[in-house]
Amino acid sequence: MNNKKLKKLEESIGYEFENKDLLLTALTHKSYTYESSGRVDYDNEKLEFLGDSVLSLVVSDLIYKKNHDFSEGQLSKLRASLINEYSLNNIAQTLNLGDYLFLGKGEEQTGGRMKSSLLSNAYEAILAAIYMDKGFETAYKIIKEHFNESIFTISPTKLNRDYKSQVQERIHKIHKSNPNYRIVRKRGPDHQQVFEVELVVGKKRISMGKGSSKKEAEQDAAEKGLKILKKCDTE
């Protein structure tokens, strides 16, 4: 990848790396390393692990300082609504991160540049790379800029209605994985569309939801899924 392209990504992130190798590592998926025949001996998995912890600490600190009247449970729900594959993928998409990933041919052919799991992991790896390159204060500043609007526009009322966050928290706690929302069907004219979305955990469908937008259908599926999950807990 040429320096001009890396510079464009750095401008999107809002940070210029002193050690460019850290950025390159953060962008390297294990499939690329595997197919390199020994030419590349690194990937972004360990950086992703570190970035997850850095991100969690920064967001926890930000929401703790802002929401003094929130209970521990509300703070946990808020953090879960901010730190999950769905929200991190949205940030990665905003940064056009998929355009910069180093992927193996298999991942490339199966749409790896648009996979939410790869993009969210790469984003966390980049945060870890910033932390290693310049320290915690710089990483804190970048994360705050990326999450500022989400953190400062949330309300307790909206939080209580955010069924996706509640499902995310429950699934992660029990299964150590993330739920996925898949569009099953889209019907109707452009001005009056109906989306049908399924909530999936692993390979199992938990519930189905409908709505006039993808987001609304996901919330409907999450609300129904939450009831099913709670019922399973009591049986």
Side-chain angles (χ1 to χ4, degrees):
M1 188 180 299
N2 59 50
N3 291 333
K4 187 176 181 179
K5 192 170 183 179
L6 281 180
K7 180 70 174 178
K8 186 177 180 180
L9 175 58
E10 288 177 325
E11 289 174 355
S12 297
I13 296 170
Y15 176 74
E16 183 176 354
F17 283 84
E18 292 184 5
N19 183 350
K20 305 296 183 184
D21 288 341
L22 283 170
L23 176 56
L24 292 174
T25 300
L27 296 171
T28 304
H29 187 256
K30 63 183 179 181
S31 63
Y32 184 86
T33 305
Y34 179 76
E35 294 180 15
S36 71
S37 301
R39 290 181 291 105
V40 177
D41 60 358
Y42 55 82
D43 61 56
N44 64 9
E45 285 194 336
K46 288 195 290 186
L47 280 178
E48 183 265 324
F49 165 79
L50 178 59
D52 177 68
S53 297
V54 173
L55 177 60
S56 182
L57 177 57
V58 172
V59 170
S60 295
D61 183 72
L62 288 170
I63 62 177
Y64 180 84
K65 288 177 177 176
K66 177 187 179 293
N67 303 288
H68 297 291
D69 56 339
F70 274 31
S71 66
E72 185 272 339
Q74 286 178 311
L75 289 171
S76 294
K77 289 178 182 178
L78 176 53
R79 183 175 60 192
S81 73
L82 293 167
I83 304 177
N84 55 66
E85 185 176 304
Y86 179 81
S87 62
L88 299 188
N89 174 57
N90 284 342
I91 296 175
Q93 294 277 12
T94 300
L95 300 175
N96 295 315
L97 199 52
D99 294 343
Y100 302 93
L101 297 180
F102 293 96
L103 302 176
K105 292 181 180 178
E107 280 294 345
E108 186 80 60
Q109 292 171 356
T110 56
R113 295 190 185 280
M114 294 298 293
K115 287 183 181 178
S116 62
S117 58
L118 268 66
L119 291 172
S120 58
N121 288 346
Y123 175 68
E124 288 184 324
I126 284 176
L127 296 181
I130 294 171
Y131 165 74
M132 294 184 69
D133 194 50
K134 206 63 180 270
F136 182 75
E137 288 187 7
T138 300
Y140 189 105
K141 179 182 177 182
I142 297 298
I143 293 170
K144 184 178 180 181
E145 289 175 356
H146 290 177
F147 283 83
N148 192 55
E149 183 177 351
S150 299
I151 290 173
F152 286 89
T153 56
I154 200 74
S155 68
T157 303
K158 183 178 179 181
L159 183 61
N160 290 334
R161 292 201 308 265
D162 191 356
Y163 297 107
K164 286 183 65 177
S165 297
Q166 296 179 55
V167 168
Q168 167 79 20
E169 184 180 10
R170 182 176 290 266
I171 295 300
H172 187 74
K173 183 177 181 180
I174 297 174
H175 300 283
K176 307 301 181 185
S177 61
N178 294 314
N180 289 308
Y181 297 88
R182 301 172 184 167
I183 296 178
V184 177
R185 193 176 295 105
K186 188 168 61 172
R187 300 183 281 109
D190 291 342
H191 67 282
Q192 200 174 5
Q193 288 188 330
V194 176
F195 291 80
E196 295 183 18
V197 170
E198 63 178 0
L199 166 60
V200 179
V201 178
K203 296 182 179 180
K204 183 179 179 181
R205 177 194 285 183
I206 303 298
S207 61
M208 289 282 295
K210 294 182 180 181
S212 58
S213 68
K214 180 173 177 284
K215 185 176 181 180
E216 185 178 301
E218 288 175 349
Q219 283 288 352
D220 185 45
E223 181 180 6
K224 293 173 180 175
L226 189 62
K227 292 177 181 177
I228 293 170
L229 293 169
K230 287 180 177 179
K231 184 177 179 180
C232 291
D233 288 346
T234 59
E235 292 179 346

